[in-house]
Amino acid sequence: MVFSSPVRLWLLPSAVLLTTLTIWGMVRYPHLPGRIPKHIGIGGVDAWTSRSIGSAFLPVFVYVGVTLLVTACVELTLRVTPQAELLDGGSAPFAGGSVPPSLVKRPRTRASALRIARALLLLNACVGISLLVGCGVLWRSATERQVPSWLFAVMILPILAGTALTVAAAVGDRRTAAN
């Protein structure tokens, strides 16, 4: 289902970000100094590592893993039988109906499953934007310890926005289910 056209369009921003990160990293790699940032703390870069494919492309590898994990979650979200389609209000498959419907945490309808899936894919794109900003520090030519003070806010805001939208989609589904 993930590769159906409505969801594929929502996966496209993540694919574009992943491609951008990969190409940008390949272009920058030959120009990187011998040591690159390993960790960036509040006071700037506080740990360094030798330049290698693994250390330079770690954000790209992380984003590939996150994208695969989120895509699998989206696939499962779209494949699960919605609560509205279950027998006896959603508790029948569990021990002869002994589990109250309020404990069944699945999308209420196929439409709400699609909304949640799209929100998850949007969250994944937000993670990619944050990693793109982080790569700007990782892949710079200078070995300066200082990092702009606004960097943390710029990196965390997309993730917070994507998380808020995902939570809103899930809460909206729960609210609709309660009515």
Side-chain angles (χ1 to χ4, degrees), residues 108-155:
R108 186 177 161 287
T109 63
R110 296 223 179 262
S112 63
L114 186 58
R115 278 191 301 276
I116 292 169
R118 287 176 176 167
L120 286 170
L121 291 172
L122 182 63
L123 172 60
N124 188 64
C126 291
V127 169
I129 291 168
S130 293
L131 289 172
L132 191 69
V133 172
C135 286
V137 173
L138 181 66
W139 294 338
R140 61 188 177 171
S141 298
T143 56
E144 300 169 10
R145 184 176 187 275
Q146 288 303 106
V147 177
S149 58
W150 47 263
L151 181 70
F152 179 74
V154 171
M155 285 185 71

Side-chain angles (χ1 to χ4, degrees), residues 167-178:
V167 168
V171 167
D173 182 56
R174 292 291 113 202
R175 189 173 295 132
T176 305

Side-chain angles (χ1 to χ4, degrees), residues 2 28 66 72 86 94 106 113 131:
V2 165
R28 291 294 310 140
V66 169
L86 293 176
F94 305 101
R106 54 178 69 225
L131 289 172

Side-chain angles (χ1 to χ4, degrees), residues 11-154:
L11 190 56
L12 187 61
S14 296
V16 168
L17 283 163
L18 186 56
T19 303
T20 302
L21 278 168
T22 302
I23 292 171
W24 185 26
M26 289 170 54
V27 168
R28 291 294 310 140
Y29 186 76
H31 306 288
L32 293 178
R35 64 182 203 145
I36 59 175
K38 180 178 181 180
H39 184 265
I40 302 167
I42 293 175
V45 178
D46 55 12
W48 300 87
T49 188
S50 300
R51 179 185 77 172
S52 69
I53 299 286
S55 62
F57 284 87
L58 183 63
V60 178
F61 300 146
V62 167
Y63 191 49
V64 167
V66 169
T67 300
L68 290 173
L69 179 65
V70 169
T71 303
C73 290
V74 164
E75 181 70 26
L76 292 173
T77 299
L78 294 173
R79 285 181 180 235
V80 71
T81 304
Q83 187 174 355
E85 295 177 18
L86 293 176
L87 304 173
D88 294 337
S91 63
F94 305 101
S98 62
V99 176
S102 62
L103 293 180
V104 178
K105 302 299 181 200
R106 54 178 69 225
R108 186 177 161 287
T109 63
R110 296 223 179 262
S112 63
L114 186 58
R115 278 191 301 276
I116 292 169
R118 287 176 176 167
L120 286 170
L121 291 172
L122 182 63
L123 172 60
N124 188 64
C126 291
V127 169
I129 291 168
S130 293
L131 289 172
L132 191 69
V133 172
C135 286
V137 173
L138 181 66
W139 294 338
R140 61 188 177 171
S141 298
T143 56
E144 300 169 10
R145 184 176 187 275
Q146 288 303 106
V147 177
S149 58
W150 47 263
L151 181 70
F152 179 74
V154 171

